[in-house]
Amino acid sequence: MFDPTLAEIRFGTGLSQRAVAPNSIGVMLSGLTAVDEMARQFPVEPYNDYRLRIRDFNQARKMFRRNRGKPDQEVYNQARKAIARDARRVYGDMFRNAFLRRIHTETGFRERLTFFWQDHFTARGKSALAKRATGPYVEEAIRPNISGKFEDLLIAAIMHPLMLTYLDQAQSAGPNSKVAKRAADRGRVRGLNENLAREVLELHTLGVSAGYTQKDVRQLAELFTGLSIDKELLFTFRSAISEPGAETVLGEEYAVQASLDNIKDVLSNLARHPATARHISEKLARHFLSDHPDASVVAALEAAYRDTDGDLMAVYAALLNHPASWHSDAVKVKRPYDFMATALRALDVGESTLSRTREKDLRNILYIPMQIMGQPWEAPNGPDGWPEENTHWITPQFMAARLQWALAAPRALRRNLPDPREFARAALGERLPRDVAFVAEAAENRWEGIALVLTSPAFQRQ
Protein backbone atom coordinates (compact mmCIF):
# COMPACT_ATOMS: atom_id res chain seq x y z
CA MET A 1 0.00 0.00 0.00
CA PHE A 2 1.40 3.44 0.86
CA ASP A 3 5.08 3.91 0.06
CA PRO A 4 6.82 7.28 0.70
CA THR A 5 9.28 6.75 -2.15
CA LEU A 6 6.53 5.87 -4.59
CA ALA A 7 4.46 8.79 -3.30
CA GLU A 8 7.21 11.24 -4.25
CA ILE A 9 7.91 9.62 -7.62
CA ARG A 10 4.37 8.87 -8.80
CA PHE A 11 2.33 11.67 -7.23
CA GLY A 12 5.00 14.22 -6.34
CA THR A 13 7.95 15.98 -7.88
CA GLY A 14 10.56 13.27 -7.32
CA LEU A 15 12.97 12.33 -4.59
CA SER A 16 14.98 15.07 -2.94
CA GLN A 17 18.09 15.25 -0.82
CA ARG A 18 16.47 17.98 1.29
CA ALA A 19 12.70 17.77 1.27
CA VAL A 20 11.06 15.18 3.49
CA ALA A 21 8.86 12.67 1.71
CA PRO A 22 5.25 12.39 2.95
CA ASN A 23 4.78 9.57 5.44
CA SER A 24 1.09 8.99 4.86
CA ILE A 25 -1.82 9.63 2.53
CA GLY A 26 -3.20 11.99 5.17
CA VAL A 27 -0.08 14.15 4.95
CA MET A 28 -0.34 14.24 1.15
CA LEU A 29 -3.95 15.40 1.33
CA SER A 30 -3.50 17.90 4.15
CA GLY A 31 -0.64 19.45 2.18
CA LEU A 32 -3.16 20.53 -0.45
CA THR A 33 -5.04 22.76 1.97
CA ALA A 34 -2.06 24.01 3.97
CA VAL A 35 -0.45 27.39 3.37
CA ASP A 36 0.97 27.52 -0.14
CA GLU A 37 4.58 28.03 0.88
CA MET A 38 5.97 27.63 -2.65
CA ALA A 39 3.71 30.38 -4.00
CA ARG A 40 5.00 32.64 -1.24
CA GLN A 41 8.69 31.83 -1.73
CA PHE A 42 8.67 31.79 -5.52
CA PRO A 43 5.92 34.17 -6.61
CA VAL A 44 4.31 34.57 -10.00
CA GLU A 45 3.29 38.00 -11.19
CA PRO A 46 -0.38 38.80 -10.39
CA TYR A 47 -2.69 39.20 -13.36
CA ASN A 48 -3.40 42.79 -12.39
CA ASP A 49 0.27 43.74 -12.73
CA TYR A 50 0.47 41.82 -15.98
CA ARG A 51 -2.54 43.55 -17.56
CA LEU A 52 -1.33 47.00 -16.54
CA ARG A 53 1.93 46.32 -18.37
CA ILE A 54 -0.01 45.30 -21.47
CA ARG A 55 -2.07 48.47 -21.22
CA ASP A 56 1.05 50.64 -20.86
CA PHE A 57 2.75 48.87 -23.77
CA ASN A 58 -0.24 49.37 -26.04
CA GLN A 59 -0.41 53.03 -25.04
CA ALA A 60 3.31 53.54 -25.71
CA ARG A 61 3.00 51.81 -29.08
CA LYS A 62 -0.01 53.94 -29.97
CA MET A 63 1.82 57.15 -29.07
CA PHE A 64 4.91 56.00 -30.97
CA ARG A 65 2.86 55.56 -34.14
CA ARG A 66 1.01 58.82 -33.58
CA ASN A 67 4.29 60.72 -33.20
CA ARG A 68 6.10 59.09 -36.09
CA GLY A 69 8.50 61.63 -37.56
CA LYS A 70 8.02 64.01 -34.64
CA PRO A 71 10.45 64.89 -31.80
CA ASP A 72 8.66 62.70 -29.24
CA GLN A 73 8.82 59.57 -31.39
CA GLU A 74 12.01 58.30 -29.78
CA VAL A 75 10.64 58.88 -26.26
CA TYR A 76 7.75 56.52 -26.90
CA ASN A 77 9.99 54.11 -28.80
CA GLN A 78 12.24 53.78 -25.75
CA ALA A 79 9.21 53.47 -23.47
CA ARG A 80 7.77 50.52 -25.38
CA LYS A 81 11.17 48.83 -25.54
CA ALA A 82 11.62 49.23 -21.78
CA ILE A 83 8.21 47.66 -21.14
CA ALA A 84 9.03 44.76 -23.47
CA ARG A 85 12.36 44.18 -21.64
CA ASP A 86 10.57 44.22 -18.31
CA ALA A 87 8.03 41.71 -19.64
CA ARG A 88 10.81 39.34 -20.72
CA ARG A 89 12.48 39.63 -17.32
CA VAL A 90 9.26 38.87 -15.46
CA TYR A 91 8.52 35.95 -17.76
CA GLY A 92 12.01 34.58 -17.10
CA ASP A 93 11.40 34.87 -13.36
CA MET A 94 8.11 32.98 -13.66
CA PHE A 95 9.81 30.21 -15.64
CA ARG A 96 12.64 29.97 -13.10
CA ASN A 97 10.24 29.98 -10.16
CA ALA A 98 8.15 27.20 -11.69
CA PHE A 99 11.21 24.94 -11.52
CA LEU A 100 12.16 26.17 -8.05
CA ARG A 101 8.71 25.25 -6.75
CA ARG A 102 9.20 21.73 -8.07
CA ILE A 103 12.69 21.50 -6.61
CA HIS A 104 11.93 22.79 -3.12
CA THR A 105 8.38 21.73 -2.39
CA GLU A 106 7.43 19.30 0.37
CA THR A 107 3.92 19.06 -1.08
CA GLY A 108 4.74 17.79 -4.54
CA PHE A 109 1.19 16.54 -5.05
CA ARG A 110 0.03 20.17 -5.11
CA GLU A 111 2.50 21.04 -7.87
CA ARG A 112 1.49 18.02 -9.94
CA LEU A 113 -2.21 18.70 -9.52
CA THR A 114 -1.78 22.36 -10.40
CA PHE A 115 -0.11 21.36 -13.66
CA PHE A 116 -2.78 18.74 -14.31
CA TRP A 117 -5.58 21.30 -14.00
CA GLN A 118 -3.59 23.92 -15.88
CA ASP A 119 -3.41 21.44 -18.72
CA HIS A 120 -7.10 20.51 -18.41
CA PHE A 121 -8.05 24.19 -18.68
CA THR A 122 -5.42 25.12 -21.23
CA ALA A 123 -5.40 28.81 -22.08
CA ARG A 124 -2.69 31.00 -23.55
CA GLY A 125 -2.28 34.42 -25.06
CA LYS A 126 -2.19 34.60 -28.83
CA SER A 127 -0.06 37.61 -29.60
CA ALA A 128 2.91 39.68 -28.45
CA LEU A 129 3.10 40.28 -24.71
CA ALA A 130 -0.23 38.51 -24.19
CA LYS A 131 1.55 35.20 -24.83
CA ARG A 132 3.00 35.44 -21.34
CA ALA A 133 -0.30 35.55 -19.46
CA THR A 134 -0.52 31.84 -18.68
CA GLY A 135 1.43 32.11 -15.42
CA PRO A 136 -0.83 34.79 -13.90
CA TYR A 137 -3.92 32.90 -15.12
CA VAL A 138 -2.83 29.66 -13.48
CA GLU A 139 -1.80 31.42 -10.31
CA GLU A 140 -5.17 33.07 -9.79
CA ALA A 141 -7.76 30.89 -11.51
CA ILE A 142 -6.30 27.39 -11.12
CA ARG A 143 -3.88 27.04 -8.22
CA PRO A 144 -6.13 28.39 -5.41
CA ASN A 145 -9.04 26.16 -6.54
CA ILE A 146 -7.49 22.71 -6.92
CA SER A 147 -8.67 21.50 -3.51
CA GLY A 148 -12.28 22.74 -3.58
CA LYS A 149 -15.34 21.85 -5.63
CA PHE A 150 -14.78 21.24 -9.34
CA GLU A 151 -17.52 23.70 -10.23
CA ASP A 152 -15.63 26.53 -8.51
CA LEU A 153 -12.48 25.63 -10.43
CA LEU A 154 -14.49 25.46 -13.65
CA ILE A 155 -16.12 28.85 -13.14
CA ALA A 156 -12.83 30.51 -12.19
CA ALA A 157 -11.08 29.15 -15.28
CA ILE A 158 -13.88 29.84 -17.77
CA MET A 159 -14.44 33.41 -16.61
CA HIS A 160 -10.79 34.41 -16.56
CA PRO A 161 -9.93 37.08 -19.17
CA LEU A 162 -7.21 34.85 -20.66
CA MET A 163 -9.66 32.00 -21.34
CA LEU A 164 -12.18 34.45 -22.81
CA THR A 165 -9.61 35.73 -25.27
CA TYR A 166 -7.98 32.36 -25.98
CA LEU A 167 -11.25 30.79 -27.11
CA ASP A 168 -12.57 33.96 -28.76
CA GLN A 169 -15.47 34.39 -26.35
CA ALA A 170 -14.70 38.10 -25.96
CA GLN A 171 -15.65 38.56 -29.65
CA SER A 172 -18.88 36.57 -29.43
CA ALA A 173 -22.22 38.37 -29.64
CA GLY A 174 -25.77 37.08 -29.70
CA PRO A 175 -27.16 37.31 -33.27
CA ASN A 176 -30.20 39.17 -31.89
CA SER A 177 -28.38 41.25 -29.30
CA LYS A 178 -28.46 45.03 -29.32
CA VAL A 179 -24.84 45.24 -30.40
CA ALA A 180 -25.30 42.77 -33.28
CA LYS A 181 -28.37 44.61 -34.55
CA ARG A 182 -26.61 47.98 -34.41
CA ALA A 183 -23.66 46.47 -36.29
CA ALA A 184 -26.03 45.04 -38.93
CA ASP A 185 -27.60 48.47 -39.41
CA ARG A 186 -24.12 49.75 -40.26
CA GLY A 187 -23.42 46.90 -42.63
CA ARG A 188 -21.17 45.00 -40.25
CA VAL A 189 -21.46 41.53 -38.80
CA ARG A 190 -21.19 40.66 -35.11
CA GLY A 191 -21.87 36.99 -34.68
CA LEU A 192 -21.90 34.09 -32.31
CA ASN A 193 -18.67 32.24 -31.55
CA GLU A 194 -19.07 28.66 -30.34
CA ASN A 195 -15.45 27.93 -29.42
CA LEU A 196 -15.75 28.31 -25.65
CA ALA A 197 -19.09 26.48 -25.46
CA ARG A 198 -17.77 23.56 -27.51
CA GLU A 199 -14.60 23.19 -25.46
CA VAL A 200 -16.45 23.46 -22.16
CA LEU A 201 -18.63 20.50 -23.18
CA GLU A 202 -15.99 18.47 -25.01
CA LEU A 203 -12.87 19.09 -22.93
CA HIS A 204 -13.69 20.72 -19.61
CA THR A 205 -16.82 18.90 -18.41
CA LEU A 206 -18.78 16.11 -20.13
CA GLY A 207 -16.17 14.73 -22.52
CA VAL A 208 -16.41 14.14 -26.26
CA SER A 209 -18.48 10.95 -26.05
CA ALA A 210 -21.14 12.22 -23.62
CA GLY A 211 -23.90 12.46 -26.20
CA TYR A 212 -24.57 16.19 -26.28
CA THR A 213 -25.72 17.68 -29.58
CA GLN A 214 -24.79 20.59 -31.80
CA LYS A 215 -27.96 22.26 -30.55
CA ASP A 216 -26.61 22.05 -26.99
CA VAL A 217 -23.37 23.65 -28.15
CA ARG A 218 -25.18 26.52 -29.84
CA GLN A 219 -27.56 27.07 -26.94
CA LEU A 220 -24.63 27.14 -24.52
CA ALA A 221 -22.79 29.57 -26.80
CA GLU A 222 -25.84 31.84 -26.77
CA LEU A 223 -26.04 31.56 -23.00
CA PHE A 224 -22.36 32.51 -22.75
CA THR A 225 -22.84 35.73 -24.74
CA GLY A 226 -22.13 38.60 -22.41
CA LEU A 227 -18.92 37.08 -21.06
CA SER A 228 -16.28 39.54 -22.17
CA ILE A 229 -13.37 41.76 -21.18
CA ASP A 230 -13.16 45.54 -21.02
CA LYS A 231 -10.50 47.94 -22.31
CA GLU A 232 -8.54 47.43 -19.11
CA LEU A 233 -8.38 43.65 -19.83
CA LEU A 234 -10.64 42.94 -16.87
CA PHE A 235 -13.56 40.53 -16.85
CA THR A 236 -16.94 42.08 -17.51
CA PHE A 237 -20.47 40.96 -18.29
CA ARG A 238 -22.02 42.94 -21.17
CA SER A 239 -25.77 42.53 -21.39
CA ALA A 240 -25.78 44.48 -24.68
CA ILE A 241 -24.13 41.53 -26.48
CA SER A 242 -26.21 38.86 -24.75
CA GLU A 243 -28.61 36.84 -26.85
CA PRO A 244 -32.17 37.59 -25.66
CA GLY A 245 -34.53 34.79 -24.73
CA ALA A 246 -34.23 31.54 -22.84
CA GLU A 247 -31.70 28.84 -23.71
CA THR A 248 -31.96 25.10 -23.15
CA VAL A 249 -28.81 23.07 -22.52
CA LEU A 250 -29.05 19.29 -21.97
CA GLY A 251 -32.77 19.64 -21.36
CA GLU A 252 -32.42 22.34 -18.70
CA GLU A 253 -33.94 25.73 -19.48
CA TYR A 254 -32.23 28.89 -18.32
CA ALA A 255 -34.13 32.11 -17.70
CA VAL A 256 -35.12 34.56 -20.42
CA GLN A 257 -33.19 37.44 -18.86
CA ALA A 258 -29.49 37.13 -19.66
CA SER A 259 -27.32 37.28 -16.56
CA LEU A 260 -24.10 36.14 -15.02
CA ASP A 261 -26.09 34.00 -12.58
CA ASN A 262 -27.50 31.98 -15.48
CA ILE A 263 -24.02 31.29 -16.74
CA LYS A 264 -22.79 30.22 -13.32
CA ASP A 265 -25.85 27.97 -13.01
CA VAL A 266 -25.19 26.17 -16.26
CA LEU A 267 -21.52 25.69 -15.37
CA SER A 268 -22.51 24.30 -11.96
CA ASN A 269 -24.97 21.91 -13.57
CA LEU A 270 -22.37 20.76 -16.08
CA ALA A 271 -19.85 20.25 -13.27
CA ARG A 272 -22.31 18.00 -11.39
CA HIS A 273 -23.30 15.98 -14.46
CA PRO A 274 -22.52 12.22 -14.23
CA ALA A 275 -20.63 12.39 -17.51
CA THR A 276 -18.33 15.00 -16.02
CA ALA A 277 -17.66 12.76 -13.04
CA ARG A 278 -16.64 10.01 -15.45
CA HIS A 279 -14.57 12.28 -17.68
CA ILE A 280 -12.61 13.88 -14.84
CA SER A 281 -12.04 10.53 -13.09
CA GLU A 282 -10.70 8.85 -16.22
CA LYS A 283 -8.43 11.77 -16.93
CA LEU A 284 -6.95 11.85 -13.42
CA ALA A 285 -6.34 8.09 -13.46
CA ARG A 286 -4.69 8.25 -16.88
CA HIS A 287 -2.48 11.13 -15.81
CA PHE A 288 -1.16 9.63 -12.60
CA LEU A 289 -1.38 5.87 -13.12
CA SER A 290 -1.58 4.52 -16.63
CA ASP A 291 -2.68 5.24 -20.18
CA HIS A 292 -5.13 2.38 -19.57
CA PRO A 293 -6.00 2.58 -15.86
CA ASP A 294 -7.67 -0.17 -13.87
CA ALA A 295 -11.43 0.20 -14.25
CA SER A 296 -11.91 -0.13 -10.50
CA VAL A 297 -9.78 2.98 -9.89
CA VAL A 298 -11.85 5.05 -12.29
CA ALA A 299 -15.03 3.72 -10.71
CA ALA A 300 -13.81 4.67 -7.22
CA LEU A 301 -12.96 8.20 -8.32
CA GLU A 302 -16.23 8.54 -10.17
CA ALA A 303 -18.23 7.43 -7.14
CA ALA A 304 -16.38 9.87 -4.89
CA TYR A 305 -17.04 12.67 -7.37
CA ARG A 306 -20.76 11.88 -7.70
CA ASP A 307 -21.29 11.40 -3.96
CA THR A 308 -19.80 14.78 -3.12
CA ASP A 309 -20.95 16.85 -6.12
CA GLY A 310 -17.39 17.15 -7.33
CA ASP A 311 -15.46 17.70 -4.10
CA LEU A 312 -11.94 17.33 -5.46
CA MET A 313 -10.41 16.43 -2.09
CA ALA A 314 -12.74 13.43 -1.92
CA VAL A 315 -11.68 12.44 -5.44
CA TYR A 316 -7.98 12.73 -4.60
CA ALA A 317 -8.56 10.68 -1.44
CA ALA A 318 -10.23 7.97 -3.52
CA LEU A 319 -7.24 7.96 -5.86
CA LEU A 320 -4.63 7.73 -3.11
CA ASN A 321 -6.54 5.13 -1.11
CA HIS A 322 -7.02 2.74 -4.00
CA PRO A 323 -4.60 -0.24 -3.94
CA ALA A 324 -3.93 0.07 -7.68
CA SER A 325 -2.39 3.49 -7.08
CA TRP A 326 0.46 1.86 -5.17
CA HIS A 327 1.32 -0.88 -7.61
CA SER A 328 5.09 -1.18 -7.71
CA ASP A 329 5.33 -1.17 -11.51
CA ALA A 330 5.75 2.37 -12.80
CA VAL A 331 4.26 2.67 -16.27
CA LYS A 332 3.72 6.37 -16.89
CA VAL A 333 6.57 8.11 -18.70
CA LYS A 334 7.52 11.50 -17.32
CA ARG A 335 6.76 14.41 -19.59
CA PRO A 336 9.73 16.67 -20.37
CA TYR A 337 8.89 19.18 -17.63
CA ASP A 338 8.48 16.41 -15.04
CA PHE A 339 11.68 14.73 -16.26
CA MET A 340 13.79 17.88 -16.07
CA ALA A 341 12.35 19.11 -12.78
CA THR A 342 12.79 15.76 -11.03
CA ALA A 343 16.36 15.61 -12.33
CA LEU A 344 17.17 19.06 -10.91
CA ARG A 345 15.52 18.09 -7.61
CA ALA A 346 17.56 14.90 -7.37
CA LEU A 347 20.71 16.82 -8.26
CA ASP A 348 19.90 19.35 -5.54
CA VAL A 349 20.15 22.26 -7.96
CA GLY A 350 18.69 24.94 -5.73
CA GLU A 351 17.62 28.54 -5.59
CA SER A 352 21.11 30.00 -5.39
CA THR A 353 22.16 28.21 -8.58
CA LEU A 354 19.13 29.06 -10.68
CA SER A 355 19.06 32.63 -9.35
CA ARG A 356 22.56 33.36 -10.55
CA THR A 357 22.03 31.63 -13.88
CA ARG A 358 21.73 34.27 -16.57
CA GLU A 359 18.51 34.50 -18.56
CA LYS A 360 20.34 33.52 -21.73
CA ASP A 361 21.82 30.43 -20.07
CA LEU A 362 18.48 29.52 -18.53
CA ARG A 363 17.01 29.46 -22.02
CA ASN A 364 19.79 27.23 -23.32
CA ILE A 365 19.76 24.83 -20.37
CA LEU A 366 16.04 24.52 -19.69
CA TYR A 367 13.74 26.50 -21.98
CA ILE A 368 14.98 25.39 -25.41
CA PRO A 369 15.58 21.73 -24.41
CA MET A 370 11.93 21.52 -23.34
CA GLN A 371 10.96 22.57 -26.85
CA ILE A 372 13.27 19.97 -28.39
CA MET A 373 11.80 17.29 -26.13
CA GLY A 374 8.33 18.21 -27.43
CA GLN A 375 6.91 20.33 -24.64
CA PRO A 376 7.52 24.04 -25.25
CA TRP A 377 6.85 25.95 -22.07
CA GLU A 378 3.15 26.81 -21.59
CA ALA A 379 2.51 26.32 -25.30
CA PRO A 380 0.48 23.20 -26.10
CA ASN A 381 -0.87 23.10 -29.64
CA GLY A 382 -4.53 23.38 -28.72
CA PRO A 383 -7.09 23.69 -25.95
CA ASP A 384 -6.90 19.93 -25.32
CA GLY A 385 -3.46 20.40 -23.74
CA TRP A 386 -0.59 17.93 -23.83
CA PRO A 387 -1.04 14.31 -24.94
CA GLU A 388 -1.18 11.75 -22.13
CA GLU A 389 -0.01 8.71 -24.07
CA ASN A 390 3.48 7.39 -23.45
CA THR A 391 3.89 6.78 -27.17
CA HIS A 392 3.78 10.50 -27.83
CA TRP A 393 6.77 11.20 -25.61
CA ILE A 394 8.93 8.15 -26.27
CA THR A 395 10.15 8.65 -29.80
CA PRO A 396 13.74 8.38 -31.09
CA GLN A 397 13.90 12.14 -31.57
CA PHE A 398 12.56 13.04 -28.13
CA MET A 399 14.67 10.38 -26.37
CA ALA A 400 17.79 11.64 -28.11
CA ALA A 401 16.95 15.10 -26.78
CA ARG A 402 16.61 13.73 -23.24
CA LEU A 403 19.98 11.99 -23.50
CA GLN A 404 21.65 15.12 -24.83
CA TRP A 405 20.17 17.18 -21.99
CA ALA A 406 21.19 14.61 -19.36
CA LEU A 407 24.76 14.76 -20.61
CA ALA A 408 24.99 18.55 -20.70
CA ALA A 409 22.66 20.16 -18.15
CA PRO A 410 23.98 18.66 -14.89
CA ARG A 411 27.52 19.80 -15.76
CA ALA A 412 26.25 23.26 -16.66
CA LEU A 413 24.39 23.69 -13.38
CA ARG A 414 26.68 22.00 -10.87
CA ARG A 415 30.43 22.54 -10.62
CA ASN A 416 30.94 19.47 -8.47
CA LEU A 417 28.80 16.63 -9.65
CA PRO A 418 27.96 13.95 -7.09
CA ASP A 419 29.32 10.43 -7.28
CA PRO A 420 27.00 8.58 -9.72
CA ARG A 421 26.54 5.75 -7.22
CA GLU A 422 25.32 8.18 -4.58
CA PHE A 423 23.23 10.07 -7.11
CA ALA A 424 21.52 6.88 -8.27
CA ARG A 425 20.48 6.10 -4.68
CA ALA A 426 19.34 9.70 -4.13
CA ALA A 427 17.30 9.78 -7.34
CA LEU A 428 15.62 6.38 -7.07
CA GLY A 429 15.84 5.47 -3.38
CA GLU A 430 14.66 2.00 -2.54
CA ARG A 431 13.47 1.59 -6.12
CA LEU A 432 17.02 1.65 -7.53
CA PRO A 433 17.29 -1.37 -9.88
CA ARG A 434 20.45 -3.47 -9.88
CA ASP A 435 21.25 -2.71 -13.51
CA VAL A 436 21.09 1.05 -12.91
CA ALA A 437 23.27 0.71 -9.80
CA PHE A 438 25.74 -1.30 -11.90
CA VAL A 439 26.02 1.25 -14.73
CA ALA A 440 26.34 4.06 -12.20
CA GLU A 441 29.25 2.25 -10.58
CA ALA A 442 30.86 1.30 -13.89
CA ALA A 443 30.66 4.75 -15.48
CA GLU A 444 34.00 6.16 -16.60
CA ASN A 445 33.27 9.60 -15.20
CA ARG A 446 30.65 11.39 -13.13
CA TRP A 447 28.79 13.22 -15.86
CA GLU A 448 28.36 10.07 -17.94
CA GLY A 449 27.25 8.11 -14.88
CA ILE A 450 24.64 10.70 -13.97
CA ALA A 451 23.39 10.85 -17.55
CA LEU A 452 22.98 7.06 -17.55
CA VAL A 453 20.90 7.23 -14.37
CA LEU A 454 18.72 10.07 -15.69
CA THR A 455 18.02 8.27 -18.97
CA SER A 456 17.39 4.88 -17.40
CA PRO A 457 13.82 3.53 -17.69
CA ALA A 458 13.61 3.53 -13.88
CA PHE A 459 14.10 7.32 -13.71
CA GLN A 460 12.04 8.09 -16.84
CA ARG A 461 8.92 6.54 -15.34
CA GLN A 462 6.67 7.65 -12.51
Side-chain angles (χ1 to χ4, degrees):
M1 195 59 178
F2 178 82
D3 176 346
T5 299
L6 202 53
E8 284 285 57
I9 292 175
R10 182 165 297 164
F11 298 104
T13 52
L15 297 181
S16 164
Q17 299 180 38
R18 304 185 183 196
V20 178
N23 57 20
S24 70
I25 291 172
V27 168
M28 293 178 70
L29 292 172
S30 63
L32 300 177
T33 55
V35 174
D36 192 345
E37 191 60 28
M38 289 299 98
R40 187 190 67 79
Q41 285 190 35
F42 307 110
V44 168
E45 179 181 53
Y47 177 76
N48 199 47
D49 292 358
Y50 166 82
R51 73 171 183 85
L52 290 176
R53 184 186 305 107
I54 295 286
R55 184 199 61 184
D56 293 346
F57 179 83
N58 289 337
Q59 181 65 19
R61 183 171 57 181
K62 177 181 176 183
M63 294 303 294
F64 168 75
R65 291 171 175 168
R66 185 173 293 176
N67 287 275
R68 199 181 296 274
K70 299 179 182 177
D72 285 344
Q73 175 183 345
E74 188 55 24
V75 173
Y76 293 112
N77 186 36
Q78 291 303 320
R80 66 174 186 167
K81 287 183 177 179
I83 295 171
R85 281 196 301 273
D86 191 42
R88 287 196 296 272
R89 177 189 59 76
V90 172
Y91 187 65
D93 288 345
M94 288 193 289
F95 177 71
R96 189 193 321 263
N97 283 351
F99 274 90
L100 287 172
R101 289 179 178 185
R102 291 276 180 126
I103 293 168
H104 287 277
T105 184
E106 292 191 1
T107 54
F109 196 31
R110 187 207 296 264
E111 303 304 321
R112 292 284 305 284
L113 283 170
T114 297
F115 198 85
F116 170 82
W117 290 116
Q118 169 185 343
D119 193 48
H120 182 78
F121 291 108
T122 289
R124 53 183 296 212
K126 293 181 175 178
S127 62
L129 298 183
K131 288 182 177 178
R132 298 164 181 155
T134 300
Y137 155 71
V138 172
E139 199 69 2
E140 296 181 9
I142 305 293
R143 193 173 178 97
N145 293 302
I146 64 166
S147 56
K149 286 289 187 76
F150 176 73
E151 64 186 72
D152 295 328
L153 175 59
L154 174 67
I155 291 170
I158 298 307
M159 293 190 178
H160 193 278
L162 182 64
M163 182 66 83
L164 297 180
T165 55
Y166 177 57
L167 292 177
D168 305 313
Q169 181 61 36
Q171 287 77 48
S172 182
N176 299 299
S177 65
K178 294 177 183 177
V179 168
K181 287 185 175 180
R182 281 201 299 267
D185 291 341
R186 297 170 185 168
R188 297 186 303 176
V189 177
R190 282 295 304 270
L192 189 69
N193 190 298
E194 298 179 354
N195 287 353
L196 180 63
R198 187 176 306 282
E199 304 307 359
V200 164
L201 294 174
E202 179 176 324
L203 301 176
H204 302 146
T205 59
L206 307 181
V208 67
S209 59
Y212 58 85
T213 66
Q214 171 56 29
K215 185 177 180 180
D216 289 317
V217 174
R218 185 169 180 85
Q219 288 283 286
L220 184 59
E222 291 183 359
L223 192 54
F224 278 170
T225 52
L227 294 179
S228 190
I229 59 173
D230 63 17
K231 293 180 180 178
E232 295 292 316
L233 303 179
L234 289 169
F235 172 83
T236 188
F237 181 77
R238 299 174 61 195
S239 57
I241 59 174
S242 293
E243 177 70 1
E247 281 86 20
T248 301
V249 180
L250 300 174
E252 184 81 20
E253 183 175 294
Y254 295 87
V256 174
Q257 187 66 40
S259 73
L260 198 54
D261 287 342
N262 285 346
I263 296 172
K264 289 181 178 178
D265 285 345
V266 74
L267 289 173
S268 294
N269 289 338
L270 288 171
R272 298 176 187 181
H273 196 282
T276 301
R278 181 76 179 179
H279 179 56
I280 297 300
S281 300
E282 287 179 341
K283 197 166 181 180
L284 272 166
R286 281 203 306 273
H287 182 79
F288 283 101
L289 303 181
S290 166
D291 290 352
H292 306 285
D294 188 316
S296 66
V297 180
V298 177
L301 271 61
E302 187 180 350
Y305 189 108
R306 283 199 316 268
D307 293 346
T308 61
D309 283 337
D311 183 337
L312 294 175
M313 289 296 287
V315 179
Y316 305 149
L319 173 68
L320 296 179
N321 281 297
H322 197 283
S325 293
W326 302 99
H327 195 284
S328 60
D329 292 341
V331 295
K332 287 293 290 187
V333 172
K334 295 176 182 175
R335 297 179 187 187
Y337 178 39
D338 293 328
F339 163 61
M340 295 167 71
T342 54
L344 298 188
R345 184 173 165 95
L347 281 163
D348 199 25
V349 174
E351 182 177 4
S352 59
T353 300
L354 290 190
S355 295
R356 67 170 177 263
T357 303
R358 296 180 303 172
E359 182 180 325
K360 177 182 176 182
D361 294 332
L362 205 63
R363 285 183 59 83
N364 290 332
I365 297 169
L366 298 178
Y367 193 87
I368 293 175
M370 280 189 69
Q371 294 179 337
I372 300 173
M373 293 180 201
Q375 193 177 25
W377 180 246
E378 295 181 341
N381 286 331
D384 53 343
W386 299 109
E388 277 292 350
E389 298 80 12
N390 286 348
T391 51
H392 177 84
W393 303 106
I394 300 301
T395 66
Q397 177 187 352
F398 289 165
M399 287 307 296
R402 292 191 187 209
L403 176 59
Q404 187 175 16
W405 184 84
L407 285 167
R411 282 191 292 174
L413 292 170
R414 279 200 58 167
R415 292 179 181 175
N416 300 313
L417 290 173
D419 185 306
R421 295 166 296 183
E422 296 174 2
F423 175 71
R425 286 190 290 274
L428 292 165
E430 298 167 357
R431 299 177 61 80
L432 174 63
R434 289 184 178 179
D435 58 343
V436 178
F438 175 79
V439 298
E441 185 169 356
E444 294 185 0
N445 54 57
R446 295 192 173 200
W447 57 273
E448 282 187 356
I450 288 171
L452 289 170
V453 173
L454 292 178
T455 52
S456 68
F459 189 82
Q460 294 286 326
R461 296 180 184 275
Q462 293 174 317

